[in-house]
Amino acid sequence: MGTAPLRVGIAGLGTVGAGVLKVLATQAELLARRCGRPLVVTAVSARDRGRDRGVDLSSVRWHDNAVDLAADDQVDVVVELIGGSDGIAARTVETALANAKHVVTANKALLAHHGTALAHQAEAQGLTLAFEAAVAGGIPVIKGLREGLAANQVREVHGILNGTCNYILTEMRTTGRDFAEVLAEAQAKGYAEADPSFDIDGVDAAHKLAILTSVAFGTRVDFANVHVEGIRHISALDIDYAGQLGYRIKLLGIARRTPNGIEQRVNPCMVPVGSLIAATDGVFNAVVADGDFADKVALVGRGAGAGPTASAVVADLVDIAIGRRTPTFGVPAGQLLPLTPAPLSARRGRYYVRLMVVDRPGVIADVAAALRDQSVSMESFLQRGRAPGEAVPVVLTTHDTEEVAMLRALTVIGGLGAVQEPPRMIRIEDY
Ligand SMILES: NC(=O)c1ccc[n+]([C@@H]2O[C@H](COP(=O)([O-])OP(=O)(O)OC[C@H]3O[C@@H](n4cnc5c(N)ncnc54)[C@H](OP(=O)(O)O)[C@@H]3O)[C@@H](O)[C@H]2O)c1
């Protein structure tokens, strides 16, 4: 590796792109010392050339089209910070690799959909495709799993992978307000997008989980087999009951090795109040990996924002500048295994259920009978307050049971005349 500057082209100068420009400018000396060569931005691309990006770009080549930047012969590494699983971002990355340039990206949607194919394309030419910023922003979770835990069979990786959802759930708990109200406030403050569906419906977390699964288990990225549930249906009532039962509700991404295959799911879960995951509040993310020799390892930090995300992007640039290389997903792309998805119906675990039932004699006996008929055993049962003839919340938790039995029981319970709304079920994870 020579001492010539590493020439960096940045496609996308929004929150993350402008953050990367700032880190490269502020830390230029430190980075040059760490890499033994300077990191120099030679080209950039965005839509609006007139917009102030906070850094003087007058001596840097400007491309109106990011694909042209990806083919620029003054660029050694293309940093893709535009976003989106297809379209311009995908064309930019493919063009960069086709022109023998390394790629750094923060684009989880792109990797969730095309990660395995892009890893093949990069590795076939001895190029790096790096994506630390794509999962949990500033937290070095990819390096932690791929390099730090390389000696382990990973049993499970789980975590809080979406700061917007965690912020909303935290606000709901601390203020007692309902989902819609807190979401509107989060949008007004800029914590949630105008179209928040990728965040609150769990899709963004599912993109990240699909990437984590591949790194953790050496399997091809398999986004299609992630079970995804968001947080729209979580009510202030459930959050309150969770607290009374000693739990917090968190939107978790979970990838778990089971006897049936690998389970991948994003879903609201109840976790014990004393756990690290429960204590991770607001916009923070947390990732816990469970290795057969290392045991549980946790990383907590900021999963988004200009500074943290740019920190991860620039760390990938340092690897490239030094020539530090590792297979994209920890195993050479050609040796990644197809993922055998474990059916979620085979999950064994505990459950929280909330019903709205008309308060009249015999209802609870019917609910108990439906559970007994599926061999589901109740652990606790809560009915606070009485309002004869009106719908009141009834909450129960179960001992370990199979999800398929739970679902059968809930179908029967949901069909009882006295049960007013579809039963709400939340999985309990005893971390
Ligand atoms: N924001 C975060 O905290 C965060 C955290 C982790 C990962 N990420 C990922 O990082 C990526 C970028 O996110 P961001 O928040 O920085 O997005 P952003 O603020 O919306 O910025 C997107 C940038 O792409 C540029 N752009 C859009 N279409 C373009 C095109 N056709 N050609 C060239 N440039 C184009 C925009 O140009 P103009 O500025 O001229 O409009 C803008 O500079 C996404 O993949 C996102 O998922 C973001």
Side-chain angles (χ1 to χ4, degrees):
M1 189 56 52
T3 52
L6 181 74
R7 299 171 304 171
V8 178
I10 305 178
L13 300 174
T15 304
V16 183
V20 170
L21 286 174
K22 185 174 176 192
V23 172
L24 289 175
T26 310
Q27 312 284 53
E29 211 174 302
L30 173 75
L31 292 166
R33 232 153 52 81
R34 292 212 163 122
C35 299
R37 57 196 292 212
L39 307 185
V40 177
V41 178
T42 52
V44 294
S45 176
R47 280 176 303 205
D48 181 355
R49 190 170 185 167
R51 186 176 299 171
D52 179 12
R53 311 291 175 172
V55 168
D56 178 17
L57 293 172
S58 53
S59 60
V60 175
R61 294 150 77 89
W62 175 277
H63 292 278
D64 285 324
N65 187 341
V67 176
D68 293 341
L69 175 144
D72 187 332
D73 61 10
Q74 301 292 308
V75 168
D76 302 315
V77 187
V78 172
V79 182
E80 185 277 305
L81 301 170
I82 297 171
S85 62
D86 293 279
I88 185 75
R91 288 203 303 281
T92 299
V93 170
E94 280 162 10
T95 305
L97 295 174
N99 282 275
K101 298 181 197 311
H102 304 288
V103 171
V104 176
T105 181
N107 189 339
K108 51 260 182 177
L110 175 74
L111 291 165
H113 287 278
H114 308 296
T116 310
L118 291 171
H120 269 288
Q121 202 188 334
E123 291 173 24
Q125 302 175 81
L127 297 167
T128 293
L129 167 64
F131 53 88
E132 184 63 71
V135 182
I139 311 175
V141 40
I142 299 299
K143 280 199 202 342
L145 259 181
R146 189 179 54 193
E147 280 115 84
L149 293 179
N152 293 261
Q153 279 260 20
V154 175
R155 293 183 280 229
E156 175 170 327
V157 55
H158 66 259
I160 296 173
L161 300 174
N162 184 277
T164 303
C165 288
N166 205 42
Y167 171 82
I168 291 173
L169 292 172
T170 303
E171 282 292 300
M172 286 175 71
R173 187 187 85 239
T174 52
T175 65
R177 288 180 300 165
D178 242 316
F179 173 77
E181 205 183 317
V182 174
L183 172 61
E185 190 197 81
Q187 285 172 309
K189 285 185 173 169
Y191 295 160
E193 305 277 335
D195 176 3
S197 53
F198 259 41
D199 288 326
I200 63 180
D201 292 330
V203 179
D204 174 77
H207 286 152
K208 295 166 181 165
L209 184 71
I211 297 167
L212 277 181
T213 305
S214 175
V215 176
F217 300 110
T219 47
R220 294 178 199 150
V221 184
D222 190 350
F223 174 67
N225 278 307
V226 183
H227 169 89
V228 190
E229 293 169 38
I231 61 167
R232 280 183 205 265
H233 65 279
I234 298 297
S235 68
L237 200 56
D238 294 318
I239 289 183
D240 185 41
Y241 275 115
Q244 293 181 40
L245 291 162
Y247 295 101
R248 297 267 191 267
I249 298 178
K250 295 290 184 185
L251 183 73
L252 296 189
I254 301 174
R256 182 178 288 163
R257 192 187 290 281
T258 80
N260 304 308
I262 292 171
E263 184 180 301
Q264 293 186 96
R265 65 184 147 100
V266 168
N267 61 161
C269 292
M270 288 200 181
V271 291
V273 164
S275 64
L276 174 119
I277 288 284
T280 303
D281 272 339
V283 296
F284 281 82
N285 285 15
V287 175
V288 180
D290 185 2
D292 54 356
F293 283 89
D295 205 5
K296 291 198 177 63
V297 175
L299 287 168
V300 182
R302 291 186 185 274
T309 312
S311 157
V313 168
V314 173
D316 282 342
L317 287 173
V318 169
D319 283 347
I320 292 168
I322 291 173
R324 197 155 49 203
R325 289 196 55 214
T326 174
T328 314
F329 292 101
V331 171
Q335 290 169 41
L336 291 167
L337 300 171
L339 183 146
T340 305
L344 189 48
S345 56
R347 174 190 185 259
R348 255 196 95 71
R350 297 169 56 229
Y351 294 85
Y352 159 97
V353 175
R354 177 175 57 80
L355 310 169
M356 296 302 292
V357 302
V358 179
D359 192 0
R360 64 179 182 231
V363 180
I364 300 309
D366 290 344
V367 170
L371 293 167
R372 180 206 59 213
D373 289 350
Q374 296 301 329
S375 306
V376 176
S377 104
M378 256 194 283
E379 188 204 23
S380 66
F381 181 89
L382 278 177
Q383 184 185 3
R384 296 263 158 80
R386 293 213 52 204
E390 281 176 33
V392 291
V394 165
V395 161
L396 60 92
T397 60
T398 73
H399 287 294
D400 270 359
T401 186
E402 269 202 9
E403 181 140 338
V404 66
M406 198 63 223
L407 294 177
R408 278 199 210 108
L410 290 183
T411 302
V412 174
I413 290 169
L416 295 172
V419 173
Q420 298 288 291
E421 296 172 7
R424 292 283 177 223
M425 179 189 95
I426 300 178
R427 298 177 187 91
I428 298 174
E429 296 293 345
D430 285 302
Y431 293 132

